[in-house]
Amino acid sequence: MVSLLNSIDTGHEDMIHDAEVDYYGLRLATCSSDNSVKVYDIKNGASTLLDDLKGHFGPVWQIAWSHPKFGNLLASCSYDRKVIIWKEQQRKWLKYYEYANHDSSVNSVQFAPSELGLILACGSSDGSISILTYNPETNNWDAKKIQNAHAIGCNAVSWATAITPIGNGETDLQSPPVKRLVSGGCDNLVKIWREDGDRWVEESKLEVHSDWVRDVAWAPSVGLHRYTIASCSQDRRVVIWTSNDCINWNSNVLHTFDDVVWNVSWSLNGNILAVSGGDNKITLWDQNTEGVWQCISDVAKGQGQINNQ
């Protein structure tokens, strides 16, 4: 049963575009078209505003928490073409690093798995993807850019897990982890990228969607023997992509919804997918023993409702 645990009045003065809970589930960050990022303490069911971050000069589209082993870091991206990494110091969040090397809106940010180091991927409407890597020896961020990743623009990026499945539920712990990510764009494509030496190469191009791809999410591979990606689009469809080698991908349309689908997100163990879209609903999906995806919960307008059909 899905039930409403808490409702938070954020105080944002315009539409909220993203809300992310940190690694320990103790803090919530939100971002909005009011150009701000807000951080709340949400321990014990209460919510207390910790800080209101001002640094962007346009709508803030997405935020991402780093793994806590790198400290309390929060990344934000905006229509103002900037990416800002914020760092908590003495319960205040200060601008730690600013990246302004995109020519258009930056739509998506996500930190890589902690095993790969402190790395941030950024997808922009200028069609490129930036990979920002922190170098502890120089205390600087090194930037690489995948030019022309998507025609017209890149809307979403998501990292693959650092542990490589090798089949039979086992994982490959001997080989060094491969840096790999998935992106979705305005060219209706989902693309897989892999680091090869000092550059990033396109590993696969996945074509099923018939309109802009709005979000992509690489599923955690805990206990799974294959790679799984979810993508959603303005074509109202969610597609589940699976592969054993990251080269050959199979597609399965999870569902065709009544309106544009904006976001997809996996549970921590990768067995439940949350979907949200223009119908103002959040639906939860899992795969039954026959491999068929089914809706297990239909949450409308903040109220937990179970779908028993």
Side-chain angles (χ1 to χ4, degrees), residues 7-23:
S7 181
I8 298 172
D9 182 1
T10 64
H12 280 296
E13 298 174 359
D14 207 331
M15 183 181 296
I16 297 171
H17 296 291
D18 195 16
E20 298 286 342
V21 176
D22 73 354
Y23 180 86

Side-chain angles (χ1 to χ4, degrees), residues 198-215:
D198 63 350
R199 64 193 185 105
W200 285 79
V201 297
E202 181 184 306
E203 198 168 42
S204 295
K205 181 191 298 182
L206 310 181
E207 303 180 65
V208 165
H209 288 295
S210 57
D211 206 335
W212 288 15
V213 178
R214 280 298 179 178
D215 199 15

Side-chain angles (χ1 to χ4, degrees), residues 92-151:
K92 281 294 181 183
W93 294 81
L94 305 175
K95 191 181 295 185
Y96 181 54
Y97 177 73
E98 181 176 305
Y99 180 73
N101 198 25
H102 279 289
D103 299 324
S104 191
S105 171
V106 185
N107 304 317
S108 182
V109 285
Q110 190 181 47
F111 282 103
S114 60
E115 298 89 340
L116 302 178
L118 184 53
I119 308 173
L120 184 72
C122 321
S124 170
S125 289
D126 65 12
S128 67
I129 298 171
S130 290
I131 310 295
L132 310 179
T133 303
Y134 177 70
N135 186 334
E137 295 180 357
T138 62
N139 196 32
N140 289 321
W141 292 79
D142 300 324
K144 292 181 182 177
K145 189 176 281 191
I146 306 172
Q147 299 283 5
N148 303 313
H150 289 275

